């Protein structure tokens, strides 16, 4: 690898996808307009114009579920990379926040910002694209602008000088779309020509060389380019719906059936129904016009969204992911991905240890999981209680209540209760069958507006053993005799005794589930004792609860 390559490491860029959505929303889901993903950073805009972020949130503080940024309701589009985000409002103003070490925010400083700040006073910005430590933008008059890190000439101004404010690139006024990669840039003009500049270590500029370019250079002679995506690999779609790719190909992310680096655009397959594409460091995702989801490249963390993952698995050719036919668009993050469906619901899959999925937990998800406004309850425990299984979770801020689910073995989750209080943090399942092994989980919900959280699919496990019902305690010639009702499914019982206000001490372990009595032959005459008993199944690790008061008796033997 070259010095330039090493500097940028494994970072990639997932650029802006902004669109209009229709259809009825999924029950419990918010209505999302656009989403952008980076390295454990996700930023999205709802159809009401509000701005939301999760994961590292570009320095605004970690969040495992969507958290609103500010109070504005006129956000239009967003583009995001590893450490900074750039945004446009409906009034054409430009905003940015996050890391600013190279001036990539464009405010004239190298001071990082923990909330969006306005960049300049112009109100004619049309589109933005965040690259790794640099930013591209176009204005309504078709001019191209860039700022931030320029180590590889990715700004396109003919130099390698960093810029801290938006700087106009060339004199052209016919720029239509822009895309920012790890250290290079792509743009399409209104005449359909494709242009590229910046780092070219892997041939990602598509000009047949590995020479860096400090100013825009046309890629081939084609005049029918429609859209493009970039990281270290470039994907592009032409007007006829055909898919093309070039650049880095370590894991088959180009999609031509090989892992060979390509320095010029290569036609991928024969399909002519590709609608949109996104690419990360080693994985490519796309949506076709029939709204199906496709993936290729590396799938170590479940990035394909097809329910599988393997450190040794890669697909060097596009393969359909799942059976759903209502995907609107998809974006690739670092080891994870997000997609918006035609009903405006937002879904996430893959792995993000700091909450980039936005599902309220850091759990790995190999299949698309719905993102909700309501955080996923963090499960605490499922334990045997006097009247059943007591299942507990942590309170979810803003929740109106919770749905509790239960399952046995490999069965399906079944709702067992609705807890109609957002402040509740536990539920006791009084209908659990003694001797059965259960898993419990919970979802939080909001009544207004209606929303439902995701759930912890692993759940909390418990072997339920019912609390023995104490029947009697009587004196006999041998000592006090404690009797109880047989517990279904029990393998045995543990008998306890105490004096006065002291603690319970274990007297005996009975290794038969059929036992229903115990005689304390070591009780001291004239002493008053209390007795109780717990049942267990298989091992004493699976213990029932117990009657905390017990039965009392004065020994007369």
């Amino acid at each position: 690898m070259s010095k330039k390559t090493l500097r940028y490491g494994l970072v990639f860029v997932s650029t802006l996808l902004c669109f209009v959505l229709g259809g009825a929303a999924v029950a419990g889901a918010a209505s999302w307009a656009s989403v952008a993903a980076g390295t454990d950073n996700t930023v999205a805009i709802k159809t009401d114009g509000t701005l939301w972020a999760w994961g590292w949130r570009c320095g605004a503080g970690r969040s495992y579920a969507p958290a609103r940024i500010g109070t504005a309701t006129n956000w239009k589009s967003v583009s995001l990379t590893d450490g900074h985000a750039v945004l446009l409002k409906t009034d054409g103003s430009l905003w940015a926040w996050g890391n600013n070490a190279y001036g990539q925010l464009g405010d004239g400083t190298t001071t990082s910002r923990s909330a969006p700040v306005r960049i300049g006073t112009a109100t004619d910005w049309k589109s933005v694209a965040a690259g790794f430590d640099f930013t591209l933008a176009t204005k309504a008059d078709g001019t191209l602008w860039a700022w931030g890190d320029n180590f590889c000439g990715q700004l396109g101004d003919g130099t390698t000088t960093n810029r801290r404010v938006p700087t106009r690139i060339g004199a052209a006024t016919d720029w239509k779309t822009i895309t920012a990669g790890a250290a290079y840039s792509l743009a399409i003009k209104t005449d359909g020509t494709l242009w590229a500049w910046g780092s070219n270590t892997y041939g990602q500029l598509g000009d047949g060389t590995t020479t860096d370019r400090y100013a825009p250079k046309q890629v081939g002679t084609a005049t029918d380019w429609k859209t493009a995506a970039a990281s270290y690999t470039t994907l592009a779609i032409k007007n006829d719906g055909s898919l093309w790719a070039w650049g880095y190909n370590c894991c088959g992310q180009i999609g031509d059936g090989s892992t060979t680096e390509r320095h010029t655009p290569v036609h991928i397959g024969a399909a002519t129904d590709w609608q949109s594409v996104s690419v990360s460091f080693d994985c490519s995702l796309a949506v076709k016009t029939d709204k199906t989801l496709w993936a290729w490249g590396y799938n170590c963390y479940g990035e394909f969204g097809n329910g599988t993952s393997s450190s040794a698995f890669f697909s060097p050719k596009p393969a359909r992911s799942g059976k759903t036919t209502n995907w609107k668009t998809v974006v690739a993050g670092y080891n994870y991905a997000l997609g918006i469906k035609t009903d405006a619901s937002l879904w996430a899959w893959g792995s993000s240890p700091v909450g980039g999925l936005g599902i309220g937990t850091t759990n790995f998800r190999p299949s698309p999981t719905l993102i909700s406004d309501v955080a996923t309850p963090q499960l605490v425990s499922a334990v045997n209680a006097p009247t059943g299984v007591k299942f507990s979770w942590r309170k979810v801020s803003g929740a109106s209540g919770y749905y509790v689910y239960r399952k046995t073995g490999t069965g399906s989750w079944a709702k067992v209760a609705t807890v109609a209080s957002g402040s509740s943090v536990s539920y006791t399942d009084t209908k659990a069958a003694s001797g059965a092994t259960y898993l419990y989980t919970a979802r939080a919900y909001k009544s207004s507006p209606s929303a439902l959280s995701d759930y912890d699919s692993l759940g909390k496990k418990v072997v339920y053993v019912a609390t023995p019902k104490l029947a009697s305690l009587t004196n006999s010639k041998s000592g006090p005799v404690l009797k109880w009702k047989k517990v279904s499914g029990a393998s045995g019982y543990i008998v306890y005794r105490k004096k006065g206000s002291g603690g319970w001490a274990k007297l005996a372990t009975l290794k038969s589930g059929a036992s229903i009595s115990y005689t304390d032959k070591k009780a001291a005459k004239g002493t008053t004792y209390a007795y109780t008993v717990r049942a267990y199944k298989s091992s004493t690790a699976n213990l029932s609860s117990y009657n905390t008061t017990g039965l009392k008796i004065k020994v007369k033997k």
Side-chain angles (χ1 to χ4, degrees):
M1 284 190 179
S2 70
K3 179 180 178 182
K4 295 176 183 177
T5 303
L6 289 172
R7 177 181 175 189
Y8 290 98
L10 302 183
V11 178
F12 68 93
V13 178
S14 180
T15 55
L16 164 72
L17 287 174
C18 189
F19 37 82
V20 177
L21 299 169
V26 170
S31 185
W32 299 94
S34 65
V35 63
T39 306
D40 295 319
N41 276 304
T42 304
V43 180
I45 298 173
K46 288 187 179 181
T47 53
D48 62 4
T50 55
L51 180 66
W52 300 73
W54 51 97
W56 282 121
R57 300 196 302 158
C58 296
R62 188 188 303 184
S63 175
Y64 295 106
R68 187 171 175 182
I69 303 296
T71 59
T73 58
N74 62 338
W75 295 105
K76 180 183 179 182
S77 63
V78 60
S79 184
L80 174 68
T81 182
D82 177 52
H84 81 288
V86 287
L87 313 96
L88 296 180
K89 286 190 173 181
T90 53
D91 61 5
S93 59
L94 175 67
W95 299 70
W97 99 87
N99 182 35
N100 197 26
Y102 297 91
Q104 58 263 46
L105 300 188
D107 63 356
T109 76
T110 54
T111 302
S112 297
R113 310 292 180 179
S114 60
V117 294
R118 184 167 182 179
I119 308 303
T121 59
T123 57
D124 58 346
W125 294 103
K126 183 180 180 181
S127 65
V128 288
F132 184 59
D133 292 334
F134 74 102
T135 304
L136 302 177
T138 61
K139 287 192 173 184
D141 61 3
T143 54
L144 176 65
W145 300 71
W147 57 98
D149 186 21
N150 200 22
F151 185 75
C152 298
Q154 58 264 48
L155 300 189
D157 64 354
T159 76
T160 56
T161 303
N162 296 348
R163 308 294 179 182
R164 297 183 181 178
V165 295
T167 301
R168 185 170 175 181
I169 307 303
T173 59
D174 57 349
W175 297 104
K176 183 180 180 182
T177 67
I178 48 175
T179 303
Y184 71 106
S185 304
L186 298 166
I188 298 174
K189 288 189 173 184
T190 54
D191 63 3
T193 55
L194 176 64
W195 300 70
W197 59 99
S199 174
N200 199 24
T201 304
Y202 303 105
Q204 60 264 48
L205 300 188
D207 64 358
T209 76
T210 55
T211 303
D212 292 353
R213 306 295 178 182
Y214 299 155
K217 180 181 179 181
Q218 187 172 344
V219 179
T221 59
T223 58
D224 57 348
W225 295 104
K226 180 181 179 182
T227 187
S231 67
Y232 292 99
T233 307
T234 301
L235 302 179
I237 298 174
K238 288 190 174 183
N239 291 332
D240 63 1
S242 60
L243 177 64
W244 301 72
W246 58 98
Y248 194 47
N249 196 27
C250 66
C251 302
Q253 61 266 44
I254 281 181
D256 64 352
S258 77
T259 55
T260 303
E261 200 171 279
R262 305 296 181 183
H263 298 167
T264 57
V266 175
H267 191 184
I268 306 303
T272 57
D273 56 349
W274 297 102
Q275 176 177 291
S276 64
V277 288
S278 184
V279 61
S280 71
F281 173 71
D282 53 14
C283 175
S284 299
L285 299 168
V287 174
K288 286 191 173 185
T289 54
D290 63 0
K291 310 306 179 186
T292 54
L293 177 65
W294 294 69
W296 59 100
Y298 203 40
N299 189 38
C300 181
Y301 298 96
E303 299 98 316
F304 284 10
N306 62 3
T308 69
S309 68
S310 171
S311 59
F313 178 77
F314 71 91
S315 174
K317 291 185 178 181
R320 184 171 173 182
S321 181
K323 298 180 180 180
T324 303
T325 57
N326 63 339
W327 292 105
K328 182 70 176 181
T329 195
V330 63
V331 293
Y334 187 58
N335 296 337
Y336 72 105
L338 302 104
I340 297 180
K341 292 186 176 182
T342 54
D343 60 10
S345 60
L346 178 60
W347 301 72
W349 57 96
S351 177
S352 175
V354 298
L357 298 185
I359 59 175
T361 73
T362 58
N363 288 347
F364 160 71
R365 296 298 168 90
S367 299
T369 300
L370 179 66
I371 294 177
S372 168
D373 282 351
V374 187
T376 303
Q378 295 182 12
L379 308 186
V380 176
S381 63
V383 297
N384 289 317
T387 58
V389 175
K390 184 178 181 180
F391 171 53
S392 303
W393 57 87
R394 298 194 186 283
K395 180 181 177 181
V396 172
S397 178
S400 301
Y402 305 88
Y403 295 133
V404 177
Y405 300 83
R406 184 184 76 186
K407 74 173 181 176
T408 57
T410 58
S412 301
W413 291 107
K415 188 167 73 171
V416 294
T418 298
V419 181
S421 170
S423 60
S424 297
V425 292
S426 68
Y427 167 76
T428 299
D429 182 8
T430 60
K431 296 182 179 180
S434 184
T437 300
Y438 293 107
L439 286 170
Y440 289 85
T441 193
R443 303 178 79 171
Y445 68 86
K446 273 200 313 187
S447 298
S448 181
S450 178
L452 184 64
S453 79
D454 190 26
Y455 63 96
D456 185 334
S457 60
L458 298 179
K460 285 294 181 180
K461 184 178 180 179
V462 64
V463 176
Y464 177 55
V465 185
T467 303
K469 293 182 180 180
L470 303 184
S472 64
L473 178 61
T474 58
N475 276 302
S476 74
K477 292 181 179 181
S478 299
V481 179
L482 175 67
K483 293 184 177 181
W484 57 87
K485 301 288 187 182
K486 181 181 177 181
V487 172
S488 177
S491 302
Y493 302 88
I494 300 177
V495 181
Y496 299 83
R497 183 185 75 182
K498 73 173 181 177
K499 290 194 299 182
S501 58
W504 291 105
K506 185 168 73 171
L507 270 183
T509 299
L510 308 181
K511 297 182 179 181
S512 170
S515 299
I516 57 171
S517 69
Y518 174 76
T519 301
D520 182 8
K521 297 179 180 180
K522 295 182 180 181
K525 184 178 180 179
T527 303
T528 299
Y529 295 102
Y531 292 84
T532 194
V533 65
R534 301 175 79 172
Y536 68 87
K537 180 179 180 180
S538 301
S539 76
T540 54
N542 301 318
L543 276 174
S544 74
S545 183
Y546 62 98
N547 185 317
T548 57
T549 303
L551 296 179
K552 290 184 180 181
I553 194 170
K554 186 175 182 179
V555 181
K556 294 182 179 181
K557 70 172 184 176

